[in-house]
């Protein structure tokens, strides 16, 4: 490696020496004012220093970061080499499928298949496959795990094959916890050493909430599986030097406010600010009042506020957390010594330069929820009833059956009597008893997701609230599906040690599984009688979850309003059973003494929470739980591992199929060509999520995916979810744009995955499922485009949202703006992300979806931000407008030329082996 700036040195740590690349060498060389750079950029700078080779990293790249000007956008591309990759199984299975298919492609090219291996460390945590089928009993956990293995045996056998076939890859078995919490508590090191050199921990993850580890001072974020695979295979990540937004935290949280309330406030502020594609770095004296789990809660939600990451620099709280979670003392000593020696230790009084700044007094944070469909739509708890009434009126629209005056009066607290159809109820009878459901009934209350189950303070608060409520004789309402799905086995250890696990169980919050459940759509089925009542009466019922995602159609197909809340508020809403309540003035229920019980009567004080935590959480719990983390349970150990360097694909499998992406791979790419005679597959509005594009949860009966499974003898109870089927492209392409809440503006008043198919013969157009229409277009030889609004592809880092788009035959997506990860994923699959000129959109151009589309300017080569010309023609009309190719860097141009990032990497690796 080149050492242009003389930064390579050694320091003593204890009784030995380690090498490092000193950032202060740049200060001495007067290259840049590193001491006022944001800490996140300092880590990027160190990465460049360490990998300077005068090819992929040049001295000019180091100088560009060191001399970063916060007041102007720097159009300079650099190459980042993350130290490792983190995967969860929903995204990890297709990634391993791709790697296995790449081995087959190598063999086809006459090269050894086992030459394809991760060159960087890869950890895959199986955490997304458990579903809450059983709940509210002490058998729930065991039963759900049994069903998990029954449904996912093929997938788990495949992952066990991958673990032994691929070097440098570890698999954490199911039932351990959520990948982000396992990363925070065990995998992350903050400082790594390799070949005697110390350097900052960095990673990319195939889940958008990889950013949770930013709370520990670790540099990394979520990417699509295809980009992660390239990193695993040694490909550097091309990125433009980002803008960094400083977020100042002052003061301390007031009594009654939780870390969840804080993160919902931060999310609201940053979404309003606009931080897509930017780093957010937190600074200020207020950081010192936040525990490490509090910081991780804020960092976790970076995808929700739109940032690439939300970074907290290393300080004494970082060291305390490392020690407490069982990291060896000598390693903690290394972290402290390295960070203090290399300008990475947080100095709260030193000014930093940022592109822009926000500030929040923590003392102003109030109890809040967010919903009914977006994490940034924060609602103060004091106005939650009013907000709910406005939300349900908006969801039902004309079906409310009430005039505007009556709705306004009711929304503004004008009494409790709901007008029109909002007063409708439906009697239901289940094994829990007889009851009436109405609009606003909470049918799911779930303590779930990495956002909160890493945070002992809010979990302990939930347990203490449950204790007080149970002591007063309160119970959860019989129509509420209650569940507890922690991110780590340590959670149940300390809840049990505090004695509050039994109290949670009294209210129905039994352990349902360790993993990502309700937040990802693995909420499991509601009682059939509840589902029928919701359908028959067109009820808008609710879920309340301590998660990070509440997009429409995500949590459960029968639930149209979903609210994020802290774990203690989840318990409170389970007791109340409705969103149509003012928790400040109305009781949660009636106690065993006949008196009303209010939220204030059961809410724990900060001192009560702190006391319970001190007595229940111990370092030994982390040490014991992670001592044998890779061993798994008896079911995992009993799986018979398939042998061989290449995988023996089974064409009859409905879970694991050989991906088709490399079937036509040649040694060189075909020339780029313009897109001509294309049809519009869908016109979509703003904030279309990756859940809309590629749902992870329920496979609806009679859908194209269901018809495929039926034809292969899979019974409906065994459909599993789309997320679990991601190793089978035949299921996933049929599930693309299959979200039941998708609104294709080509079809007025229609909801779901449908479009207008225009035959090539000139026959009348007809309404078809999007998959069926795409296959008809493929038979006609017609390419496709998708048109969308702002923030297209927000949400999960779901590579299948791009893979499925490609397999449907979509060549380009034209949107007002893209979320960062999905834009990268589209490029990674060779689909062009094109952006309307600011101020323009489908409506301004009068696009209806009936047009034939031609896109010129692709043939002969593309360039970053190149302007292309779109012709949209229909009988009697010809429209012409420009769009911006959102190919943002020269490296992304290469990926487009090669038809995708993996094709590029395969050809590069093949050429290197043949050289």
């Amino acid at each position: 490696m080149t050492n242009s700036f003389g930064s390579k040195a050694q320091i003593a740590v204890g009784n030995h020496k380690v090498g490092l690349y000193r950032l202060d060498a740049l200060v001495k060389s007067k290259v840049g004012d590193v001491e006022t750079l944001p800490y996140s950029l300092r880590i990027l700078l160190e990465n460049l220093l360490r990998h300077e080779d005068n090819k992929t990293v040049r001295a000019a790249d180091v100088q560009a970061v060191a001399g970063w000007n916060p007041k102007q956008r720097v159009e300079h591309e650099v190459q980042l080499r993350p130290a490792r990759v983190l995967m969860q199984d929903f995204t990890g299975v297709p990634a391993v499928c791709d790697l296995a298919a790449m081995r087959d492609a190598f063999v086809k090219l006459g090269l050894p298949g086992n030459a394809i291996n991760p060159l960087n460390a890869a950890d895959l945590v199986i955490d997304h496959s458990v579903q809450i089928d059983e709940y509210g009993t002490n058998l729930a956990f065991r039963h759900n795990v049994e069903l998990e293995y029954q449904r996912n045996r093929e997938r788990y056998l495949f992952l066990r094959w991958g673990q032994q076939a691929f070097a440098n890859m570890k698999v954490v078995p199911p039932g351990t916890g959520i990948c982000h919490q396992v990363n925070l508590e065990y995998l992350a090191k903050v400082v790594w050493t390799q070949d005697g050199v110390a350097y900052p921990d960095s990673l990319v993850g195939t889940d958008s909430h990889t950013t949770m580890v930013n709370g520990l001072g670790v540099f990394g974020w979520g990417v699509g599986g295809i980009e992660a695979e390239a990193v695993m295979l040694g490909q550097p990540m091309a990125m433009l030097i980002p803008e960094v937004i400083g977020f100042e935290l002052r003061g301390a949280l007031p009594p009654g406010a939780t870390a969840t309330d804080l993160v919902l406030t931060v999310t609201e502020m940053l979404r309003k600010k606009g931080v897509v594609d930017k780093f957010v770095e937190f600074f200020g004296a207020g950081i010192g009042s936040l525990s490490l789990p509090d910081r991780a809660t804020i960092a976790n939600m970076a995808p929700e506020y739109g940032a690439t990451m939300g970074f907290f620099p290393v300080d004494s709280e970082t060291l305390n957390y490392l020690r407490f979670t069982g990291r060896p003392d000598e390693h903690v000593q290394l972290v402290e010594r390295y960070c203090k020696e290399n300008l990475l230790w947080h100095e709260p009084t030193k000014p930093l330069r940022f592109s822009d700044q926000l500030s929040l007094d923590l003392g102003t944070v109030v109890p809040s929820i967010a919903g009914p469909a977006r994490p940034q739509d924060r609602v103060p708890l004091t106005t939650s009833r009013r907000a709910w009434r406005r939300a349900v009126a908006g969801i039902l629209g004309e079906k409310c059956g009430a005039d505007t005056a009556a709705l306004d009066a009711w929304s503004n607290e004008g009494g409790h009597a709901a007008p029109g159809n909002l007063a409708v109820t439906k009697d239901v009878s289940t094994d829990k008893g007889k009851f009436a459901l109405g609009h606003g009934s909470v049918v799911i209350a779930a303590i779930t997701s990495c956002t909160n189950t890493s945070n002992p303070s809010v979990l302990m608060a939930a347990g203490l609230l449950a204790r007080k409520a149970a002591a007063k004789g309160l119970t959860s309402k019989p129509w509420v599906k209650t569940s507890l799905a922690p991110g780590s086995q340590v959670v149940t250890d300390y809840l049990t040690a505090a004695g509050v696990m039994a109290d949670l169980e009294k209210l129905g919050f039994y352990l349902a599984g360790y993993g990502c459940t309700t937040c990802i759509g693995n909420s499991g089925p509601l009682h059939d009688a509840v589902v029928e009542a919701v359908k028959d009466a067109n009820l808008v019922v609710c879920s309340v979850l301590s998660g990070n995602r509440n997009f429409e159609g995500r949590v459960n197909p029968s639930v149209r309003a979903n609210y994020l809340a802290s774990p203690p508020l989840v318990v409170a809403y389970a007791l109340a059973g409705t969103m149509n309540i003012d928790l400040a003035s109305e009781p949660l229920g009636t106690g065993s003494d006949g008196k009303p019980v209010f939220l204030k009567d059961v809410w724990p004080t900060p001192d009560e929470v702190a006391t319970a935590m001190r007595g229940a959480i111990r370092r030994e719990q982390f040490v014991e739980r992670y001592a044998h983390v890779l061993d798994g349970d008896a079911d995992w150990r009993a799986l018979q591992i398939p042998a061989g360097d290449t995988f023996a694909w089974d064409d009859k499998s409905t879970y694991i199929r050989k991906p088709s992406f490399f079937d036509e791979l040649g040694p060189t790419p075909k020339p780029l060509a313009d897109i001509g005679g294309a049809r519009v597959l869908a016109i979509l509005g703003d904030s279309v999520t990756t859940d809309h594009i590629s749902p992870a949860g329920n496979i609806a009966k009679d859908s194209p995916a269901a018809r495929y499974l039926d034809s292969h003898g899979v019974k409906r109870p065994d459909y599993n979810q789309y997320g679990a089927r991601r190793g089978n492209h035949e299921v996933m392409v049929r599930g693309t744009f299959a979200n039941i809440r998708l609104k294709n503006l080509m079809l007025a008043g229609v909801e779901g995955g449908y479009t207008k198919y225009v035959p090539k013969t000139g026959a009348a157009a007809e309404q078809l499922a999007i998959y069926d229409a795409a296959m008809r277009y493929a038979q006609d030889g017609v390419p496709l485009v998708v048109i969308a609004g702002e923030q297209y592809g927000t949400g999960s880092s779901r590579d299948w949202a791009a893979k499925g788009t490609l397999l449907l035959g979509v060549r380009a997506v034209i949107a007002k703006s893209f979320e960062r990860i999905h834009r990268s994923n589209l490029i990674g699959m060779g689909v062009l992300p094109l952006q309307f000129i600011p101020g323009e959109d489908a409506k301004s151009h009068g696009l209806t979806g009936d047009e034939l589309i031609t896109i010129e300017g692709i043939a002969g080569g593309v360039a970053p931000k190149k302007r292309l010309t779109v012709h949209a023609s229909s009988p009697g009309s010809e429209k012409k407008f420009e769009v911006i190719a959102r190919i943002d860097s020269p490296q992304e141009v290469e990926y487009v030329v090669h038809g995708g990032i993996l094709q590029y990497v395969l050809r590069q690796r093949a050429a290197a082996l043949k050289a």
Side-chain angles (χ1 to χ4, degrees), residues 9-32:
Q10 281 191 329
I11 57 172
V13 180
N15 296 322
H16 65 284
K17 291 186 177 181
V18 296
L20 81 165
Y21 286 78
R22 300 188 67 102
L23 292 171
D24 60 6
L26 299 172
V27 178
K28 295 172 183 175
S29 302
K30 297 183 179 180
V31 174

Side-chain angles (χ1 to χ4, degrees), residues 238-364:
M239 60 180 290
L240 295 175
I241 300 172
E243 295 179 54
V244 185
I245 307 298
F247 197 119
E248 182 188 24
L249 297 174
R250 298 177 285 110
L253 288 173
T258 68
T260 310
D261 305 319
L262 170 58
V263 77
L264 294 180
T265 303
V266 169
T267 299
E268 179 186 42
M269 292 175 65
L270 286 170
R271 268 294 175 188
K272 287 180 179 177
K273 184 71 175 176
V275 293
V276 173
D277 289 335
K278 301 173 185 178
F279 288 0
V280 171
E281 183 165 311
F282 295 90
F283 72 99
I287 288 181
S289 70
L290 297 178
S291 69
L292 199 293
D294 288 349
R295 301 175 190 184
T297 303
I298 297 171
N300 178 288
M301 292 283 275
E304 277 60 61
Y305 43 82
T308 301
M309 66 175 182
F311 189 80
F312 287 83
V314 175
D315 63 6
S316 58
E317 176 62 18
T318 313
L319 303 183
N320 293 338
Y321 185 82
L322 291 173
R323 290 191 190 94
F324 192 73
T325 50
R327 271 70 164 209
D329 288 340
E330 58 269 22
H331 183 74
V332 179
Q333 183 182 6
L334 168 67
V335 172
E336 181 175 15
R337 180 83 173 90
Y338 176 86
C339 290
K340 287 183 174 178
E341 188 70 31
N342 210 21
L343 302 180
L344 293 175
W345 185 263
H346 185 221
E347 300 286 352
T349 60
K350 287 192 175 181
L352 303 177
R353 59 189 200 268
F354 293 110
S355 305
D356 203 348
Q357 294 187 24
L358 293 85
S359 183
L360 174 65
D361 180 353
L362 297 175
T364 64

Side-chain angles (χ1 to χ4, degrees), residues 307-619:
T308 301
M309 66 175 182
F311 189 80
F312 287 83
V314 175
D315 63 6
S316 58
E317 176 62 18
T318 313
L319 303 183
N320 293 338
Y321 185 82
L322 291 173
R323 290 191 190 94
F324 192 73
T325 50
R327 271 70 164 209
D329 288 340
E330 58 269 22
H331 183 74
V332 179
Q333 183 182 6
L334 168 67
V335 172
E336 181 175 15
R337 180 83 173 90
Y338 176 86
C339 290
K340 287 183 174 178
E341 188 70 31
N342 210 21
L343 302 180
L344 293 175
W345 185 263
H346 185 221
E347 300 286 352
T349 60
K350 287 192 175 181
L352 303 177
R353 59 189 200 268
F354 293 110
S355 305
D356 203 348
Q357 294 187 24
L358 293 85
S359 183
L360 174 65
D361 180 353
L362 297 175
T364 64
V365 173
V366 297
S368 303
I369 58 176
R374 299 192 307 175
Q376 64 263 38
D377 294 334
R378 184 182 67 88
V379 179
L381 197 61
T382 53
T383 62
S384 60
R385 183 176 64 183
R386 181 186 309 141
W388 157 249
R389 291 179 175 183
R390 289 175 177 168
V392 68
I395 292 169
L396 287 174
E398 294 179 356
K399 295 179 182 179
C400 284
D403 60 36
T404 301
L407 289 173
D408 286 345
W410 184 62
S411 297
N412 291 315
E413 311 297 329
H416 296 283
N421 294 331
L422 291 166
V424 168
T425 61
K426 184 75 173 179
D427 290 334
V428 179
S429 179
T430 71
D431 54 345
K432 304 281 187 181
K434 296 181 179 180
F435 46 83
L437 284 181
H439 294 293
S441 293
V442 173
V443 296
I444 293 176
I447 300 175
T448 184
S449 174
C450 41
T451 314
N452 287 292
T453 57
S454 66
N455 199 320
S457 65
V458 289
L459 285 163
M460 197 65 75
L464 292 172
L465 189 149
R467 170 176 290 176
K468 292 185 177 186
K472 288 182 176 292
L474 296 185
T475 59
S476 296
K477 295 296 187 287
W479 55 83
V480 183
K481 181 173 185 176
T482 49
S483 61
L484 170 65
S488 164
Q489 295 174 346
V490 177
V491 172
T492 45
D493 287 342
Y494 65 66
L495 290 178
T496 301
V500 296
M501 189 71 189
D503 298 301
L504 286 164
E505 290 172 350
K506 289 176 184 177
L507 302 186
F509 289 91
Y510 284 85
L511 175 67
Y514 294 103
C516 191
T517 52
T518 302
C519 192
I520 192 62
N522 291 354
S523 58
L526 296 173
H527 194 285
D528 287 344
V530 171
V531 174
E532 287 302 314
V534 169
K535 182 179 179 181
D536 292 346
N538 192 31
L539 297 177
V540 179
V541 294
C542 304
S543 74
V544 182
L545 61 152
S546 65
N548 44 34
R549 294 263 162 84
N550 58 335
F551 304 138
E552 59 179 357
R554 180 181 175 104
V555 169
N556 188 283
S558 296
V559 182
R560 282 191 274 176
N562 305 283
Y563 287 87
L564 305 183
S566 65
L569 282 179
V570 170
V571 176
Y573 276 108
L575 298 173
T578 181
M579 285 300 303
N580 190 28
I581 183 174
D582 180 355
L583 291 177
S585 62
E586 296 179 84
L588 296 170
T590 302
S592 52
D593 59 1
K595 296 179 180 179
V597 180
F598 294 86
L599 181 61
K600 63 183 179 181
D601 299 328
V602 295
W603 193 267
T605 67
D607 285 345
E608 289 172 331
V609 173
T611 299
M613 288 171 59
R614 279 195 299 271
I617 308 176
R618 297 175 291 107
R619 183 180 190 272

Side-chain angles (χ1 to χ4, degrees), residues 120-143:
N120 289 318
D123 297 298
L124 191 156
V125 181
I126 301 175
D127 65 348
H128 274 53
S129 296
V130 62
Q131 179 174 296
I132 302 174
D133 288 274
E134 184 161 327
Y135 68 98
T137 76
N138 58 8
L139 297 176
F141 174 69
R142 184 67 251 167
H143 181 67

